[in-house]
Amino acid sequence: MSSAHEANIAARGKSFSLKAILNNAGIGLALLLVIAFFSVTTEHFLSSNNITNILTQITINLILAVGMTFVILIGGIDLSVGSVMAFAAVVAGKAITLPGLGVTELILLACLAGVLAGLVCGILNGVLSAYWSLPSFIITLGMLNIARGAALQISGAQTIYSFPFVFEEFGSKLIYGVPVVFLLALLLVLIAWFVLNRTVFGRLIYGIGNNEEAVRLAGHPVFWYKVAAFTICGLTAGIAAIVYMARLSIASPIAGIGFELNAIAAVIIGGTSLSGGRGSVIGTLLGAFIIGVLANGLILIGLSDFMRQMITGVVIIIAVILDHYRARLSAS
């Protein structure tokens, strides 16, 4: 790779960082306004217990959204993460209930099995969509059904439970009122931020979303970068499965229905463009917070499930419209 091309990539990475800061400032302001609104209209919104509840509730969506950010940045989409999470949870649930092993061995085996199950699904999504240049929407829609069917088949359509106490305790453990599972999600956000903003791999993920052909002509293996993005998404689905099991003490084959839509919503509300090439995992974090705070606050003011769904849908549409105008301003 030429020094001029390296300088171009570095400059583009700095440009993305500046745009990300400006976009996230607006998203952060929106989050503060939502928090202020519910603080005034509800009595217990800012109580320590409710804040802990919000952090716990957004954890799984945040983990899934971190992986989804990589896929959307390359101009793709992954509709299978909810089903992959259920599949990984069932695989991990089967592993953690095996007889004849100690508690530590069972927990390690379950975590490894669940993460590997997610990885395999992510690799398949990436290879199938990148090798044949097929729309990721179609490939991951197929994987949605494959993973869900596999989860039902492996579990016999039965919920798996009776996990070791230490494993269940991890899902409810707090450190100064902050759930440990949320800290895990936050760690994933920081790792993703570093990868996207401080590595050549991350800059090329942005580059593929902006101009895939230019990245290919520069001599970079676009195929493997695409596979890597989907693999990361599968990895986070596997991690989300472990967190889900620890939180609820079950592994259900019907878990995760609709979770892919919440993850996509967090990414889009966070300012990542559906067309790829623009966005930030910090924006995804803020987007997940907006969805979580909105859902929690609407419950506290007594709105029905139907009204909550409608309002969340309106927020998503507004985010997409704003993304459209951001794209036009960037192009001008």
Side-chain angles (χ1 to χ4, degrees), residues 230-291:
F230 280 96
T231 301
I232 291 169
C233 197
L235 169 67
T236 55
I239 295 173
I242 303 302
V243 172
Y244 156 81
M245 291 170 58
R247 272 193 57 204
L248 301 182
S249 304
I250 60 170
S252 171
I254 61 171
I257 295 176
F259 281 25
E260 59 279 347
L261 301 180
N262 289 333
I264 293 170
V267 177
I268 301 307
I269 292 173
T272 299
S273 173
L274 274 172
S275 59
R278 293 184 294 109
S280 164
V281 73
I282 301 301
T284 296
L285 169 65
L286 296 174
F289 261 109
I290 288 176
I291 291 176

Side-chain angles (χ1 to χ4, degrees), residues 120-279:
V120 169
C121 292
I123 291 171
L124 287 174
N125 281 334
V127 169
L128 292 174
S129 62
Y131 186 80
W132 283 286
S133 298
L134 296 172
S136 56
F137 175 91
I138 301 299
I139 296 299
T140 58
L141 183 62
M143 181 58 72
L144 179 153
N145 288 284
I146 293 170
R148 184 70 63 187
L152 290 165
Q153 179 67 35
I154 293 172
S155 66
Q158 300 294 318
T159 298
I160 303 170
Y161 51 92
S162 297
F163 302 150
F165 174 75
V166 175
F167 182 73
E168 295 179 349
E169 187 180 34
F170 169 75
S172 58
K173 188 175 181 60
L174 303 177
I175 296 180
Y176 297 109
V178 179
V180 171
V181 290
F182 174 76
L183 294 176
L184 172 62
L186 201 57
L187 176 62
L188 292 177
V189 170
L190 294 175
I191 293 172
W193 178 88
F194 178 83
V195 170
L196 287 173
N197 292 277
R198 293 292 182 266
T199 67
V200 174
F201 171 82
R203 291 169 185 166
L204 290 174
I205 289 293
Y206 281 106
I208 291 171
N210 275 286
N211 193 330
E212 179 180 331
E213 188 61 23
V215 175
R216 182 180 287 107
L217 292 175
H220 299 288
V222 170
F223 171 84
W224 290 112
Y225 283 104
K226 284 187 170 183
V227 172
F230 280 96
T231 301
I232 291 169
C233 197
L235 169 67
T236 55
I239 295 173
I242 303 302
V243 172
Y244 156 81
M245 291 170 58
R247 272 193 57 204
L248 301 182
S249 304
I250 60 170
S252 171
I254 61 171
I257 295 176
F259 281 25
E260 59 279 347
L261 301 180
N262 289 333
I264 293 170
V267 177
I268 301 307
I269 292 173
T272 299
S273 173
L274 274 172
S275 59
R278 293 184 294 109

